Amino acid sequence: MKDVYQEEKQQLDALLRLDSSFDLTAKEMIIGGKRAALYFVDGFAKDEMMEKVMEFLLKLTPEQADQPDAEAFARQNISYLETAVLEDRDALATAILSGQLCLLSEWYRGGILIDARTYPVRGVSEPEDDRVLRGARDGFVETLVFNTALIRRRIRDPRLTMEILQAGSSSRTDIVLCYMAGRADEAFLQKLRQKIQQLPAEALPLGQQSLAENITRFGLNPFPRIRYTERPDAAAASVLEGSVAVIVDNSPSVMLLPVSIFDFTQDTNDYYFPPLVGSYLRLVRGVVFLLTIFFTPLWYLLIRHPEVLPPWLGFLVISEPGELPVICQLLVLEFVIDGLKLASLNTPAALSNSFSVVGALVLGDFAVKAGWFVPEVVLYMAFVAIANFTQPSFELGYAFKLFRVLLLIFTALFDVWGFAAGILLLALTLLCTRTLSGRCYLYPLIPFDGRALSRLLLRLPDRPGGGKRKA
């Protein structure tokens, strides 16, 4: 007589390659007088919960274990935990590798999946790069179910949808589309689902960045079409406004899309202050960030034509240009500042303060005394470097930085016409860029939507999500 249980067990053992991995376990036992095996990954299973499950299963009598099928067995004997019944071997293997328990038994065909898993997780502390003066101090972590719970805690509405997908033929990474049914753009949602389901990637080793590179064609356009946040309150507010939050397992931040360039003018701090103060902060952020693009190129253009400067702006002219041409000084400092940023990422925390002091001295007073740079260049580049941090998106900051460097080079080569050509190229790039939903990147300015634009440029006195807006 064919031993169905033994055949199923051998197939699953071979698929999981139990003999090759020490952390994959198949615990054999007797349930109700018949053979059974409990599969799990050591490190994902909760010890206390497994002990309770096994204690209960081992005490079952033949009468209690004898059920019509696996689903009836699970309903009768495993009522506390979430369960599912599968017969597909590949699906069972994927579930086991994701941390679930799998019970095989002679009593029935297929395997019972028992969700008794736990993942190593750090505390939901406030993100380092997106702090607020007031408000919540929690942040996303690398565990998917924790991140969905942080959003669900803030939006207790049955229309809040957490749709789970998988991508990567080897990694089989869990991806959740979080959106409000009826507010999110259904056409965009369908397009996003198709892109995720048809990903050619074998794995997503870098989490959300691997996903972003597969669903977005970056090319030579540096402007970001995805906004990232590590704050649950910011993600919840965007979802209420009609955006889609894409949560990728093993990533401590959430992708918000679709977004236009005006979405990056918002910051969580704006909503924790009164509307007038929040609007002022948003205005300051926008003006200062625009200065980071045009400040040094415009200054360089003016010092090349000092005759056009009125007397009250005479302080802009450099009295002693130094050994290096000013354009070389500006470009060198652009690269040196980025080099210092990269070095700071690899500096141990105990040495970070010392590194900051040494870097400031070398690039400041010492560099000027050595004749490398003139004081004006160091001052203006320091302003630009600090002003880049007025908005939290590193991707948008580097997009503007690249155009600033391009403006400097064009101005050095072609003078006024080069400066005008650089601005024209920037404008054309923004006009030709599309969000992931197909709209213009300058929406709601083009096409014009006054209400949506006012909500983005000003902190209006109403709750986030009070007006429906789609990029």
Side-chain angles (χ1 to χ4, degrees):
M1 182 176 179
K2 186 178 180 181
D3 192 339
V4 177
Y5 163 76
Q6 190 62 30
E7 183 180 344
E8 288 183 338
K9 186 176 182 304
Q10 289 175 354
Q11 291 176 356
L12 194 55
D13 288 353
L15 191 60
L16 291 171
R17 301 176 65 244
L18 286 180
D19 296 336
S20 303
S21 300
F22 81 95
D23 60 335
L24 291 176
T25 305
K27 177 66 176 177
E28 297 192 49
M29 61 185 75
I30 301 297
I31 297 177
K34 291 189 178 182
R35 293 173 296 172
L38 188 64
Y39 290 82
F40 58 93
V41 177
D42 190 12
F44 284 165
K46 294 181 181 178
D47 294 338
E48 300 84 359
M49 200 170 293
M50 275 196 62
E51 183 181 356
K52 292 292 184 182
V53 170
M54 293 181 67
E55 180 183 0
F56 185 81
L57 291 174
L58 291 172
K59 289 181 179 179
L60 291 178
T61 63
E63 292 76 16
Q64 292 173 321
D66 188 10
Q67 301 293 331
D69 52 34
E71 291 184 358
F73 181 93
R75 286 196 302 268
Q76 179 70 25
N77 299 310
I78 314 174
S79 58
Y80 176 70
L81 298 170
E82 182 181 350
T83 60
V85 177
L86 293 176
E87 293 189 14
D88 182 79
R89 296 292 167 269
D90 290 332
L92 283 174
T94 301
I96 294 170
L97 293 172
S98 69
Q100 297 191 59
L101 309 182
C102 177
L103 180 65
L104 289 184
S105 175
E106 283 187 282
W107 288 105
Y108 47 78
R109 292 184 62 90
I112 296 178
L113 295 175
I114 306 171
D115 197 352
R117 56 189 161 179
T118 183
Y119 293 133
V121 63
R122 60 183 173 88
V124 289
S125 57
E126 185 177 20
E128 290 289 335
D129 298 327
D130 200 0
R131 294 179 176 272
V132 292
L133 294 176
R134 298 192 183 96
R137 303 293 179 181
D138 54 355
F140 290 123
V141 294
E142 288 79 6
T143 306
L144 184 102
V145 291
F146 282 22
N147 293 341
T148 57
L150 287 171
I151 297 178
R152 181 75 70 178
R153 184 181 179 186
R154 288 167 167 82
I155 306 177
R156 300 174 182 178
D157 190 321
R159 291 175 296 174
L160 178 64
T161 306
M162 300 286 184
E163 180 181 341
I164 191 163
L165 304 170
Q166 281 191 341
S169 57
S170 293
S171 65
R172 298 176 185 176
T173 305
D174 291 326
I175 300 171
V176 168
L177 302 183
C178 172
Y179 58 91
M180 292 292 291
R183 292 190 183 181
D185 187 345
E186 288 296 332
F188 172 67
L189 273 171
Q190 183 59 27
K191 178 181 176 182
L192 188 59
R193 286 191 201 101
Q194 291 177 354
K195 284 189 173 183
I196 294 175
Q197 292 168 348
Q198 297 172 2
L199 282 182
E202 183 181 5
L204 302 179
L206 300 179
Q208 60 187 13
Q209 183 59 30
S210 299
L211 177 63
E213 291 180 5
N214 279 278
I215 66 174
T216 306
R217 294 182 179 179
F218 289 99
L220 298 177
N221 190 335
F223 286 103
R225 278 155 283 181
I226 297 173
R227 184 182 170 200
Y228 299 92
T229 182
E230 295 185 40
R231 299 193 58 87
D233 48 2
S238 295
V239 168
L240 287 170
E241 290 179 345
S243 297
V244 179
V246 181
I247 311 170
V248 183
D249 197 19
N250 296 313
S251 296
S253 58
V254 164
M255 304 162 62
L256 302 177
L257 51 139
V259 292
S260 69
I261 193 171
F262 291 102
D263 288 289
F264 294 98
T265 63
Q266 301 182 94
D267 187 78
T268 310
N269 272 303
D270 300 345
Y271 292 98
Y272 286 112
F273 288 102
L276 182 60
V277 178
S279 298
Y280 169 73
L281 293 177
R282 194 169 293 183
L283 177 64
V284 169
R285 187 180 306 111
V287 171
V288 171
F289 195 60
L290 281 176
L291 285 176
T292 64
I293 313 174
F294 302 109
F295 189 75
T296 51
L298 183 59
W299 172 72
Y300 176 65
L301 180 64
L302 290 175
I303 63 173
R304 291 188 64 171
H305 299 277
E307 68 277 2
V308 302
L309 287 173
W312 60 277
L313 288 179
F315 65 90
L316 293 176
V317 179
I318 298 176
S319 55
E320 298 180 4
E323 298 295 331
L324 284 175
V326 174
I327 183 62
C328 293
Q329 297 180 38
L330 290 169
L331 294 177
V332 167
L333 276 179
E334 289 280 6
F335 288 105
V336 168
I337 289 172
D338 281 332
L340 288 175
K341 288 180 183 178
L342 295 175
S344 66
L345 292 176
N346 298 315
T347 303
L351 302 177
S352 59
N353 290 335
S354 301
F355 177 81
S356 300
V357 172
V358 171
L361 288 174
V362 170
L363 288 183
D365 189 45
F366 291 170
V368 172
K369 288 181 178 179
W372 293 2
F373 308 112
V374 296
E376 291 86 352
V377 171
V378 175
L379 172 65
Y380 299 148
M381 283 304 305
F383 165 77
V384 169
I386 295 173
N388 266 324
F389 294 102
T390 54
Q391 58 85 35
S393 174
F394 289 103
E395 293 83 5
L396 186 63
Y398 274 104
F400 280 2
K401 177 188 180 67
L402 293 175
F403 272 99
R404 181 173 66 248
V405 172
L406 195 64
L407 272 172
L408 285 170
I409 295 174
F410 279 14
T411 304
L413 293 176
F414 307 109
D415 204 53
V416 177
W417 292 108
F419 183 78
I423 294 177
L424 181 61
L425 180 61
L426 173 61
L428 288 175
T429 303
L430 290 172
L431 284 171
C432 295
T433 303
R434 297 285 170 181
T435 66
L436 292 181
S437 63
R439 281 188 182 269
C440 178
Y441 197 57
L442 294 175
Y443 175 82
L445 182 63
I446 301 174
F448 184 74
D449 185 337
R451 184 183 180 190
L453 185 62
S454 64
R455 289 185 57 82
L456 288 172
L457 297 181
L458 301 174
R459 161 70 166 92
L460 298 182
D462 61 353
R463 59 183 176 86
K468 185 178 177 182
R469 177 186 60 80
K470 300 174 184 176

